[in-house]
Amino acid sequence: MMRFSSFKYLTKTGLHNMVRNRFMSVASIGVLAVCLIITGVAALFTINVGSMMDYLGSQNETEVYLDRDLSEEGLAEVDQRLRSISGLTDVIYVTKEEALANMRESMGESAHLFDVFEGDENPFAAFYRVVLEDVSRLPEIRPQLEEIPGVIELSAPVELAQTFTNIHHAVSVICMLLVSVLGFVSIVVISNTIRLTVFARRKEINIMKYVGATNGFIRYPFFVEGVAVGFVAGLIASVLVLGGYQLAVVYSAQLPAFWGQMVSGILIPVEQLWWQLTLAFFGFGGLLGSLGTAFSIRKHLKV
């Protein structure tokens, strides 16, 4: 069992080694920070694409337009068929009067232009507004909607839904590849840093071995050095990624009304992400640093 005094001494030694080998330490921190930054950006993009999919699903109101000459019996059959389709979270019937009222409301100060369409002059048709539980199922559900008797047209963004689904999948795969490749590069660089430290202290290490120092006693300062490099890189990545993301959120609020409202509904606020990302940066940085140390000592330090 290592005494506290030994633990304190070896920790200081490891931190001192990082400062003494500052050139390679800075290189390791830089490479690892870039790895964490790219990984963090990819993770944020993946999270927000997922949020976009949820937003699109909640806002995706496919409009099912009906034949103007549809009878009451036909309308009842359409309603029953729509509500029997699996994957629809909401089915809302909109009369032509409600459709006209909605259009007037959306026009704001120009609503008076639609006054001429009151009564029998109303050009709008009644329709159903349906909301999908999962927007990626739109290509599967659309044919079921089209085959209902009395349905003459659909307003369904199939290509948009498929595009977002493909983007979400591609971003997830790319993020995993980036984590793997950049993590490997970081481990190699950190291993080289530790290897130089081992080489510079080889005589001291041999003396420690001769006087009976345990393997753990010799390895611990190198472990501290690797983990410290990872933590510093994690701190840098946290500040840059979260700061840049906050700027993106603030800038999105200044977009024109429609786009600003849509983007603000998609982007996840920094307050909900910062502590998870910070812990992930420090944890992943420390893990890569410790792995780099372990591989270096195992291959180049004979204890």
Side-chain angles (χ1 to χ4, degrees), residues 70-90:
L70 193 64
S71 64
E72 291 294 330
E73 293 78 8
L75 180 61
E77 181 181 356
V78 171
D79 188 272
Q80 181 181 7
R81 293 279 296 271
L82 286 175
R83 298 182 187 280
S84 66
I85 295 177
S86 174
L88 300 182
T89 60
D90 206 359

Side-chain angles (χ1 to χ4, degrees), residues 16-202:
H16 176 72
N17 290 340
M18 185 179 72
V19 175
R20 185 170 61 180
N21 302 312
R22 52 186 172 273
F23 178 77
M24 287 301 298
S25 295
V26 169
S28 299
I29 291 171
V31 172
L32 184 51
V34 170
C35 167
L36 294 176
I37 289 171
I38 296 176
T39 302
V41 170
L44 280 174
F45 192 60
T46 302
I47 292 171
N48 282 287
V49 168
S51 175
M52 185 182 299
M53 293 295 296
D54 294 338
Y55 178 84
L56 185 62
S58 65
Q59 299 296 317
N60 176 41
E61 299 177 340
T62 299
E63 295 178 350
V64 181
Y65 293 98
L66 308 176
D67 188 345
R68 289 178 178 271
D69 299 326
L70 193 64
S71 64
E72 291 294 330
E73 293 78 8
L75 180 61
E77 181 181 356
V78 171
D79 188 272
Q80 181 181 7
R81 293 279 296 271
L82 286 175
R83 298 182 187 280
S84 66
I85 295 177
S86 174
L88 300 182
T89 60
D90 206 359
V91 178
I92 305 170
Y93 178 65
V94 180
T95 65
K96 63 180 185 178
E97 291 78 17
E98 291 173 334
L100 175 60
N102 292 338
M103 178 60 70
R104 294 183 61 177
E105 182 179 354
S106 66
M107 294 300 293
E109 296 180 355
S110 302
H112 65 279
L113 298 176
F114 290 85
D115 291 344
V116 297
F117 296 132
E118 293 290 349
D120 296 335
E121 301 298 327
N122 188 344
F124 293 91
F127 64 91
Y128 274 91
R129 182 180 294 122
V130 298
V131 180
L132 276 67
E133 180 180 6
D134 183 358
V135 71
S136 64
R137 294 188 58 193
L138 184 54
E140 168 194 342
I141 294 176
R142 179 171 183 167
Q144 301 179 51
L145 299 174
E146 292 176 329
E147 68 183 12
I148 298 176
V151 173
I152 60 173
E153 186 181 357
L154 292 180
S155 174
V158 178
E159 288 116 10
L160 181 62
Q162 189 61 43
T163 298
F164 279 119
T165 301
N166 293 338
I167 289 175
H168 189 226
H169 177 71
V171 169
S172 299
V173 172
I174 291 173
C175 182
M176 292 177 62
L177 290 175
L178 282 174
V179 171
S180 301
V181 174
L182 295 176
F184 175 76
V185 172
S186 300
I187 290 174
V188 170
V189 174
I190 294 172
S191 296
N192 289 334
T193 302
I194 302 299
R195 186 191 310 170
L196 290 177
T197 304
V198 172
F199 182 78
R201 298 181 59 200
R202 62 190 184 281

